[in-house]
Amino acid sequence: MTIRTAERFILDDASAAAEIFGRHDEHLDTIEKLLEVKVIARGGEIVISGLPEKIEQAQEVFKQLIDFYRAGNRLTLHDVSYAVKAVQAGKKDALISLAHEVIYVTSRGKQIKPKTLGQLYYIKAIQKHDVVFAIGPAGTGKTYLAVVMAIQALRSKEVNRLILTRPAVEAGEKLGFLPGALQEKVDPYLRPLYDSLYDVLGVENTQKYLEHQTIEIAPLAYMRGRTLDDAFIILDEAQNTTIEQMKMFLTRLGFGSKAVITGDITQIDLARGQVSGLVQAQKILKGIKGLIFYYLTGEDVVRHPLVQDIIKAYDEGNQ
């Protein structure tokens, strides 16, 4: 016989209650759905009913959400979903362990923090290693966090310049048919890098850095023949490099430089028969000291909660 029971959880802080319940109680709805419990909010009191082990998990989730909020954080649907899934996986301190991990504060006062443990460990990998390969699905913050760490290194004078690059694979033979000068033709492929810089630095500061060539954004082909000293270099969409391009990029690294190579090996746009330089790098570069391959997963996706389910469905469909 299945035993169902109910427990009360008291919230004595009205502002905390509003934040934890979410707009139109969407946070409570998420907890109910993921934990298969019934949650009823009465003022500052929450009544949780369901199986005893599920109620215990729900109580732990609410405790983490309260601690996270009281540490000065706004709660999002992602935070709630992440707290639930972490508790289900036995990681009871996952959300609160991220509460004080501020990695950068923008000029507008926005605090940038890792949103998952995977992102936190990724940041620590960048701090510790000169070359980091970050591999994982869309929405895990691979490029954005690399940009944040690069700007932090630039601002603290650990490096003198920041270089962001991407292979413009989609352009291919069609590049010549696009209107405008060469820079105008390749800019659409580099737009995500600009967007990350604008979010962290602001448009005005980004433009100043670009004008002074302290920050450079260019297609991967522009890296050939250069030696990059005292620079933080980010290669984005690395799954679309050929083996030759990857080798060329990695051998540009000069003294006092760091490199982060990001990519999603499930979304390769190379022509049929071409081997991805990122895929090949995993096979031949493992074990080199000072270099690390770090893998983010669907659990680290910080976009709409449905994105995690979409990625999982595709992964299972390809098995």
Side-chain angles (χ1 to χ4, degrees):
M1 179 179 174
T2 302
I3 299 174
R4 299 182 67 84
T5 184
E7 292 287 345
R8 283 171 170 75
F9 194 93
I10 305 297
L11 283 170
D12 53 8
D13 183 336
S15 60
E19 190 78 8
I20 289 166
F21 294 169
R23 186 181 58 178
H24 306 307
D25 291 344
E26 65 178 353
H27 295 170
L28 298 184
D29 292 341
T30 297
I31 293 169
E32 284 186 326
K33 178 184 174 184
L34 294 177
L35 285 178
E36 299 176 341
V37 293
K38 181 68 177 174
V39 179
I40 299 173
R42 298 169 179 162
E45 182 183 68
I46 297 171
V47 179
I48 311 165
S49 58
L51 299 176
E53 63 270 22
K54 299 290 188 179
I55 292 175
E56 187 178 339
Q57 288 180 337
Q59 289 176 314
E60 176 61 32
V61 168
F62 282 116
K63 178 180 178 299
Q64 284 208 38
L65 296 180
I66 291 169
D67 290 344
F68 190 72
Y69 171 74
R70 287 178 177 166
N73 300 280
R74 298 298 302 271
L75 280 167
T76 66
L77 199 56
H78 168 267
D79 296 324
V80 175
S81 176
Y82 183 69
V84 171
K85 291 178 180 179
V87 167
Q88 287 175 319
K91 303 172 185 174
K92 291 191 174 183
D93 61 346
L95 186 64
I96 193 59
S97 67
L98 302 170
H100 303 285
E101 294 286 348
V102 179
I103 58 172
Y104 191 81
V105 180
T106 70
S107 57
R108 302 182 302 279
K110 175 186 174 184
Q111 292 185 340
I112 298 176
K113 302 178 180 182
K115 296 183 179 297
T116 69
L117 288 177
Q119 288 191 348
L120 174 61
Y121 300 146
Y122 171 41
I123 289 164
K124 292 185 182 300
I126 294 174
Q127 291 170 335
K128 186 177 178 181
H129 297 85
D130 288 337
V131 178
V132 177
F133 286 83
I135 299 173
T140 51
K142 301 183 300 294
T143 304
Y144 183 78
L145 291 174
V147 168
V148 172
M149 296 301 292
I151 291 170
Q152 184 188 68
L154 188 62
R155 285 282 177 91
S156 62
K157 301 190 184 304
E158 294 173 37
V159 296
N160 296 328
R161 54 183 171 158
L162 168 55
I163 299 169
L164 302 97
T165 185
R166 275 183 144 196
V169 167
E170 298 89 345
E173 295 178 341
K174 298 178 183 178
L175 193 61
F177 296 100
L178 294 173
L182 179 61
Q183 192 61 41
E184 293 174 300
K185 293 176 183 182
V186 299
D187 267 358
Y189 303 101
L190 303 173
R191 181 53 51 189
L193 300 176
Y194 284 101
D195 290 343
S196 295
L197 288 170
Y198 291 158
D199 186 69
V200 180
L201 286 174
V203 176
E204 189 176 333
N205 285 333
T206 299
Q207 292 303 327
K208 285 180 181 177
Y209 277 122
L210 289 169
E211 287 169 11
H212 294 124
Q213 297 187 330
T214 306
I215 295 179
E216 178 183 349
I217 305 177
L220 181 58
Y222 284 32
M223 299 298 109
R224 191 173 297 278
R226 302 174 63 183
T227 300
L228 306 172
D229 292 326
D230 299 312
F232 197 121
I233 314 143
I234 299 171
L235 170 57
D236 190 34
E237 297 288 330
Q239 75 276 6
N240 289 330
T241 60
T242 63
I243 295 172
E244 293 77 15
Q245 286 175 326
M246 179 62 77
K247 181 182 177 183
M248 178 274 291
F249 172 80
L250 292 173
T251 53
R252 300 309 93 201
L253 199 64
F255 292 106
S257 291
K258 291 176 74 78
V260 178
I261 300 98
T262 69
D264 178 358
I265 56 176
T266 69
Q267 297 192 46
I268 297 172
D269 299 314
L270 292 170
R272 188 183 298 274
Q274 281 191 305
V275 178
S276 165
L278 182 57
V279 171
Q280 182 73 3
Q282 293 177 93
K283 299 175 182 176
I284 64 176
L285 297 180
K286 277 192 174 179
I288 294 180
K289 222 171 183 180
L291 179 153
I292 188 173
F293 285 85
Y294 187 80
Y295 295 88
L296 291 142
T297 70
E299 292 181 4
D300 301 304
V301 171
V302 292
R303 293 179 180 170
H304 191 288
L306 273 175
V307 175
Q308 285 190 0
D309 295 333
I310 291 168
I311 291 170
K312 184 179 178 182
Y314 272 102
D315 287 344
E316 291 174 349
N318 289 327
Q319 287 177 0

